Every structure is written in C-alpha cells, then in structure tokens.
Amino acid sequence: MHTRLISQPNADTLLVYFAGWGTPDSVAEAMAPAADVLLCSDYRDTVLNFDFSRYRRIGVLAWSMGVWVAERAMQGVKVDWAAAVNGTGFPYDDQFGIPCAVFDQTLARFDERNRAKFEQRMCADADSLAHYRRLDGHRSQQSLHDELSFLHQAVQADHHTDLLIWHEAWIGARDRIIPAANQSAYWQSRCPVIEFDGGHYPYTHWPRWNEAT
C-alpha cells in the first residue's frame, strides 16, 4: 500500500483516505484543510504502517474498493468517524458489490482501451470525467493491473465484514461500477445512507471532514 501524509501545523486530527482501485490520491488532497490527511492507495497489500498515537481524533473516508481495504488496514485503531462512498464490504458479489462476471472480465480484458472505458463508466458526465483525467498521479498500466489482480484474489479469499464501524454510507444513484441497488442492500441494516445524484466517481459529492472535528 502506498501512503502519503499531508501535514498541517499543530494538527491533532487526522483524516485517513482510502482511494478506489487505480485512482490517484490527488483526488483527496484538499478535503480536510484543518486536519492532517493520510492518503492511501495502490493496494498490492493491505498493510498500513503508520503511527496514529499523536492524534486526538481520527476519521476514515473510503471510496469504492477502499472500503474493503479500510476495514483491514484500520484494525486496532480507534476511529471517531467513518464514511464509505460507493463501496461495500463485499466488493465481489452479485447482490452486494460488483457483479462477479463484471469484475472477472475487467481483470481479464484490462488494457489501455478498456481502462478508458472504465473511466467513462466511473464518471457520471463529461465534466466529472474531464476533472478526473486532469488529476495528478495517474499510474502505469502495469501497476493498475497488478493492483487489480491482488484485489481480485484477496476479496474472494477474505469474506469478513463489519471490521470497522461505519457512520454513514454515500451512494451515487447513477453508479455504473457498483450498482446503487447493491450498495443499498448492503448498507440498509448497517448505517445511515445518503444518496446523491452522481456516478461512481463522487466528484463534488464527498462527505465533509467537518463531521469528524
């Protein structure tokens, strides 16, 4: 797992952001100006080596596959606030996550052309797609394939859920990656759900760190 810390002077609060598969961590650079932000991405393992002891309050914001990773990486850490965005604890699942055949085909057919198609499906409209593609930190084709291969195997091998207490789940009504109905079915008995009019990439619909401070 790749991590990068953005520090603020004398901050005693920390937002831990878990990116979606293959997405640049620059998505979250400006999310919490009053807090330190730990950006987590590039999941070729779920090990998070970080000293949380200096922080008075800790929040978690996880997007897409980052929801599954966060539940494993944050074990043993006291979390004051956790929000899941367009993700579930069963990311490889016909009822609660990405339909299994779709996940399998994404890995089997992954190339530059299909990567571009995935980004188009991920974004709800031309504005959000243009914004996403302007972000810094887009990675190589090989690194994305390696990450997806790891996640494809790992999520099938580890079916544990509810390893983290989630305070809210945000669901894009036009999500074409993890169907909104699947997300709703997963979260309805677990925590409050906020539905927004957007796609898998939240663009302007992120939960605010103010909730945790």
Side-chain angles (χ1 to χ4, degrees), residues 6-190:
I6 300 176
S7 298
Q8 303 294 333
N10 304 313
D12 64 355
T13 57
L14 175 71
L15 174 65
V16 188
Y17 167 74
F18 290 89
W21 161 65
T23 59
D25 58 27
S26 55
V27 166
E29 283 181 348
M31 281 188 182
D36 284 2
V37 184
L38 181 63
L39 304 172
C40 303
S41 59
D42 193 356
Y43 310 124
R44 286 175 261 192
D45 60 59
T46 59
V47 178
L48 176 55
N49 293 314
F50 186 80
D51 182 7
F52 294 95
S53 62
R54 60 166 286 197
Y55 295 100
R56 180 179 60 87
R57 293 178 65 80
I58 297 171
V60 170
L61 177 57
W63 171 32
S64 189
M65 293 298 299
V67 174
W68 184 88
V69 175
E71 292 206 342
R72 282 132 189 92
M74 297 300 292
Q75 289 299 290
V77 180
K78 182 181 179 296
V79 172
D80 299 283
W81 176 84
V85 182
N86 285 339
T88 76
F90 279 134
Y92 181 91
D93 191 270
D94 290 334
Q95 184 178 1
F96 298 120
I98 301 169
C100 299
V102 173
F103 202 138
D104 294 343
Q105 290 171 10
T106 301
L107 176 60
R109 301 176 182 176
F110 188 67
D111 57 21
E112 192 64 38
R113 179 171 172 270
N114 285 317
R115 173 183 178 177
K117 285 185 175 181
F118 179 85
E119 292 176 352
Q120 290 173 339
R121 292 197 307 272
M122 187 174 69
C123 297
D125 49 47
D127 286 344
S128 59
L129 177 61
H131 178 270
Y132 178 76
R133 288 180 169 169
R134 285 196 302 268
L135 293 170
D136 294 329
H138 288 277
R139 291 162 37 207
S140 71
Q141 193 80 1
Q142 186 60 53
S143 73
L144 298 186
H145 185 272
D146 291 347
E147 181 184 1
L148 188 59
S149 294
F150 168 78
L151 290 169
H152 184 258
Q153 295 175 16
V155 298
Q156 293 180 74
D158 185 349
H159 291 251
H160 294 91
T161 59
D162 305 308
L163 303 177
L164 187 65
I165 296 175
W166 296 95
H167 295 79
E168 55 193 60
W170 289 55
I171 301 174
R174 291 184 282 158
D175 194 327
R176 298 173 62 196
I177 304 299
I178 306 179
N182 287 15
Q183 294 183 54
S184 296
Y186 180 82
W187 291 112
Q188 62 182 353
S189 62
R190 287 179 163 86

Side-chain angles (χ1 to χ4, degrees), residues 15 31-32 60-62 81-85 168-170 194 196 202 204-211:
L15 174 65
M31 281 188 182
V60 170
L61 177 57
W81 176 84
V85 182
E168 55 193 60
W170 289 55
I194 299 94
F196 61 91
T204 58
H205 297 283
W206 294 100
R208 304 315 304 169
W209 172 236
N210 295 341
E211 298 290 331

